[in-house]
Amino acid sequence: MSISWYPGHMHKASKELVKLMGSVDAVIEVLDARAPQASSNPLLSDIRKLLPCIKILNKTDLADAQTTRSWQGHYNILKQTICLTSGSNKLLSKSQLIDAAERLLGHDKPVSKARFELAIIGIPNVGKSTLLNTLADRKLARTGNEPAVTRHQQRIKLAENRYLVDTPGMMWPKLEDQAGAYKLAMLGSIRNTAVSADDIAWFAAELLLSEFRDRLARRYDLAGSVQTPLQLLEQVAEIRGCLTKGGKADFNKASEALLNDIRSGKLGQLSLERPPA
Ligand SMILES: Nc1nc2c(ncn2[C@@H]2O[C@H](COP(=O)(O)OP(=O)(O)OP(=O)(O)O)[C@@H](O)[C@H]2O)c(=O)[nH]1
Ligand SMILES: [Mg+2]
């Protein structure tokens, strides 16, 4: 099944974002450290045009540390870009962010006292609002473990002359890279109305069997005979007790259980992408 998810509120949010770009000095693009490429929104690149960019690889607690460092190196060679990391294992601090923004904006003039405003942008559920709360050290923005929680821009004062604007998570109209879209669904950035849990779990099962078999073996006590997504989901059903009244595997529940395990880090730190060589 092909994934497409660009609801009306995102179209409206994109227009508001275009307006906002006229008044901010730089953007903070939040990416999911587990899939930085799939979580890079081409529409946001178009909207930000040539504004300097601080890329933040977020949720580093759920990604492989070495792979995250490689992605950071990959992004740090881009022009007008500084790449930082954050995650519940090591949160980005306010001073780290301000320091990066000053370096990015301060090429030819001392900006340490000049006012600047940064817009936090990115796809849904990557942790933009959580990051804003962390940096502000207060719960100012609503957060939630589902995509499309933030529906309006919210400006906060981070420090004297330093402002941050949280924005709604944005997808883009045509998801040409469907494998990337399925990765986003697997990580929880796409609403469950756009694609069924069964379809996502099937994709996830194929990917995990080919690249992370050792993790599956540990979590679900996998025998060597388990080779296909169907067999894996049967095993998940048995180990996680996802059974119908008749005692058979409940594939729908097993799909949900597998996705919950992936999203919450129960299968360990999973980096689904590596930077190009
Ligand atoms: N494990 C982990 N979870 C995180 C991290 N940052 C945010 N989250 C969780 O990710 C979920 C989404 O966080 P939000 O801050 O609401 O995400 P958002 O990007 O603002 O989402 P939208 O408003 O829907 O665009 C919440 O359940 C957060 O607790 C992190 O560094 N590690
Ligand atoms: Mg939000």
Side-chain angles (χ1 to χ4, degrees):
M1 182 188 156
S2 154
I3 303 181
S4 160
W5 187 48
Y6 191 62
H9 84 264
M10 287 189 193
H11 181 60
K12 185 162 169 264
S14 75
K15 291 186 172 169
E16 289 165 357
L17 203 54
V18 170
K19 268 193 222 155
L20 180 68
M21 292 298 104
S23 64
V24 297
D25 301 277
V27 299
I28 299 171
E29 183 184 15
V30 181
L31 301 173
D32 191 315
R34 295 166 292 178
Q37 191 165 321
S39 60
S40 294
N41 179 340
L43 178 62
L44 292 176
S45 305
D46 290 348
I47 291 176
R48 86 169 165 90
K49 297 203 168 78
L50 297 175
L51 277 176
C53 180
I54 298 173
K55 288 190 192 278
I56 297 185
L57 296 168
N58 197 37
K59 304 198 182 184
T60 50
D61 52 304
L62 299 174
D64 173 68
Q66 175 78 44
T67 310
T68 300
R69 273 194 296 278
S70 304
W71 275 110
Q72 193 175 10
H74 170 77
Y75 286 128
N76 267 330
I77 51 177
L78 300 180
K79 275 189 195 150
Q80 293 274 77
T81 305
I82 292 179
C83 183
L84 304 172
T85 61
S86 189
S88 49
N89 54 342
K90 194 165 187 288
L91 294 169
L92 181 74
S93 71
K94 191 196 297 193
S95 61
Q96 270 178 300
L97 179 79
I98 291 179
D99 177 63
E102 286 176 351
R103 273 189 286 141
L104 202 55
L105 297 170
H107 308 298
D108 50 9
K109 54 180 178 161
V111 289
S112 57
K113 292 204 173 59
R115 179 189 190 283
F116 65 70
E117 187 166 317
L118 312 172
I120 307 181
I121 62 174
I123 66 161
N125 209 25
V126 284
K128 300 177 295 299
S129 304
T130 304
L131 184 71
L132 177 126
N133 291 340
T134 301
L135 294 165
D137 208 14
R138 274 181 299 164
K139 189 163 174 14
L140 297 172
R142 198 161 80 83
T143 63
N145 193 14
E146 56 177 333
V149 168
T150 304
R151 293 299 175 100
H152 303 285
Q153 293 178 3
Q154 181 179 4
R155 177 176 285 96
I156 67 143
K157 183 173 175 176
L158 189 61
E160 199 53 36
N161 275 334
R162 273 87 180 93
Y163 294 85
L164 280 186
V165 187
D166 187 22
T167 66
M170 293 272 303
M171 293 299 294
W172 58 104
K174 196 162 180 343
L175 301 175
E176 266 147 8
D177 173 13
Q178 280 291 308
Y182 266 91
K183 281 181 195 162
L184 296 185
M186 185 175 155
L187 301 179
S189 281
I190 290 188
R191 262 272 157 94
N192 54 11
T193 47
V195 56
S196 75
D198 293 7
D199 281 351
I200 310 167
W202 193 273
F203 171 87
E206 274 181 334
L207 191 149
L208 295 170
L209 280 167
S210 75
E211 291 185 35
F212 298 98
R213 198 185 163 92
D214 54 329
R215 315 293 184 86
L216 295 172
R218 250 175 286 163
R219 175 86 181 145
Y220 304 120
D221 197 15
L222 222 61
S225 57
V226 173
Q227 295 293 337
T228 66
L230 190 67
Q231 290 167 335
L232 172 60
L233 288 165
E234 267 172 346
Q235 179 70 3
V236 173
E238 193 179 319
I239 294 283
R240 298 285 310 270
C242 308
L243 302 173
T244 61
K245 278 186 191 143
K248 293 208 170 120
D250 183 329
F251 286 103
N252 195 254
K253 280 194 193 146
S255 296
E256 299 277 4
L258 177 65
L259 294 176
N260 283 338
D261 281 357
I262 294 167
R263 291 169 184 166
S264 60
K266 298 256 168 36
L267 291 172
Q269 297 176 311
L270 293 177
S271 286
L272 306 184
E273 297 173 339
R274 278 177 185 62

